[in-house]
Amino acid sequence: MPFRCDQAPEWPLLQAAFSGQPLDLRRAFAQDARRFEHFSQQAPHVFADLSKNLWDAATESLLLGLARSCELPARRDAMFAGQPINTTEGRAVLHTLLRRPPGLALPGDDASIASRLAQVHATLDAMLAYAEAVRADGAITDVVHIGIGGSDLGPHMATLALEEFRAPGKRFHFVSNVDGHELHGVLRQLRPERTLFLIASKTFTTVETMVNARSALAWFAQQGGRDVARHFVALTANVEAAQALGITTTFGFWDWVGGRYSLWSAIGLPLAISIGAAGFRDLLAGAHAMDEHFRAAPLAQNLPVRLGLLDVWYRNFHGFGSRCIAPYHAALRRLPAYLQQLEMESNGKRVGLDGQPLPYATSPVLWGEPGSNGQHAFFQMLHQGADVLPLEIIAVRRAAHPLPGHHQMLLANALAQAQALMAGKADGDGHRHFPGNRPSTFLLLDALTPASLGALVALQEHRVFVSGSLWGINSFDQWGVELGKALARDLESRLGTEDVAGLDASTAGLLRKITQK
């Protein structure tokens, strides 16, 4: 088994580096005229400025050594080659294959890769042909995507992000919550003959999704809808279960595609309908470009690696427990929620690959809101709070709207927040004093396009893999979601009864309160 990060020889050296003279960003810039040049880089579709972070070249060099000691390149290559790195489920992790061009072989490919890649492109071609048919069908004005977790967050985020490319005459709705208020609020806007429902569940057994799907089917029938086969599509590997509900059009995916990595698969059908086949292929191409950068770039010039190492430095040495995501583009308003699942479900683990408790923290809490809204909500705490909270700004150089002055003001605010966090402001009045020396990362896209969004999302996927690899955890399972689901099934059967046998006093008391007449 590869070295775990705390067992590597660089770990005590990093502890010593952190315990030494604290780094002051203002002094670091004053002493090194090339700091921005060293800590910024261009990756596919994404420019990154890492210079306002609390590290120097010596620290980064130690972190790169840590990555090598933990055999990060070998772990990365094993993922791309199709080895079963999801050890608790015995599965390969091949979301990168979903965006690999047809017929492309990579060094070290598992023997099954070629056939898997052929299946990927056969499914992709069929899905995109269907998406184009729906785009051309003027009778369909509303597309309702029903899924949850990875079957919702990715396509929802991306469809909103690429609204500028949306097919005219089509509205898109996303239903994930089992709370009937959400589905009811969507259904009352619809007419059955003009609506297409997409039911997204790999197993077609996900409780929340199937409850919503059956309610949608019942509504369709009650409203006089005809031809379930035309108006319902299943995105699933369980074709038989879909057919049992009268759904005959299905697009599948595979057990080596995790839910939170499934945007690139048939789960992305609503996005494909919205932006078209060419746009979806551009999304895949942007992600593939970032895949190749991650796979082939030297570690010191590898942006996902540098971000992942910075995450380890902040979590395990500085003790920073969260990271704020501030996209300075309204179309990216669902990106923080998407990244929450990507990182916290992947790396929110307390045991290593051997199942034993780890002696250090893993995933930070991710949270955020688009700028400039966040500036009028929680940026007060970023600037003057007792906790240091690293900020990640995502900005877009070119606007897609014609309104004069807006985008310049938006970009000026993004730049100003990073500058203010670093520089601070001395003031004898403590209420007006800004301590500064607070870290931020600045990611810049030239424009928000399918290709740049694909690259940005792939960048975030790979950075999560890097930190998870160094922590020695399985970033591709999610056993933590299972217990609550099992208990919910038991409690649902007790609702409406007086059965509280075996329950703790709090749960029993709440159950009585909920069910009282």
Side-chain angles (χ1 to χ4, degrees), residues 1-5 7 68-72 74-75 353 469 472:
M1 183 176 292
F3 268 53
R4 203 177 65 190
C5 58
Q7 299 167 346
R68 295 184 185 98
S69 291
C70 293
E71 301 181 10
L72 175 65
R75 295 190 191 199
L353 292 169
S469 293

Side-chain angles (χ1 to χ4, degrees), residues 360-383:
Y360 46 77
T362 55
S363 174
V365 174
L366 265 67
W367 57 284
E369 178 76 11
S372 57
N373 294 7
Q375 294 173 204
H376 296 269
F378 50 78
F379 272 50
Q380 161 67 40
M381 184 173 178
L382 298 183
H383 287 286

Side-chain angles (χ1 to χ4, degrees), residues 102-122:
L104 177 63
L106 298 179
D109 273 353
D110 180 89
S112 67
I113 289 291
S115 63
R116 286 174 168 174
L117 186 58
Q119 294 170 25
V120 164
H121 281 278

Side-chain angles (χ1 to χ4, degrees), residues 96-170:
T96 56
L97 199 65
L98 298 173
R99 54 240 193 178
R100 192 192 294 193
L104 177 63
L106 298 179
D109 273 353
D110 180 89
S112 67
I113 289 291
S115 63
R116 286 174 168 174
L117 186 58
Q119 294 170 25
V120 164
H121 281 278
T123 301
L124 175 65
D125 291 346
M127 182 191 82
L128 294 182
Y130 179 80
E132 287 297 316
V134 174
R135 284 166 61 84
D137 187 347
I140 297 297
T141 58
D142 290 270
V143 177
V144 181
H145 182 86
I146 297 176
I148 197 167
S151 295
D152 167 77
L153 288 164
H156 193 176
M157 175 275 294
T159 301
L160 290 174
L162 299 174
E163 166 72 16
E164 181 68 20
F165 301 84
R166 177 174 57 84
K170 297 281 192 284

Side-chain angles (χ1 to χ4, degrees), residues 177-197:
N177 202 323
V178 75
D179 182 351
H181 295 97
E182 183 171 68
L183 179 59
H184 177 68
V186 170
L187 292 177
R188 63 187 179 186
Q189 305 174 48
L190 307 177
R191 292 165 54 190
E193 70 275 12
R194 301 188 70 82
T195 302
L196 175 68
F197 291 92

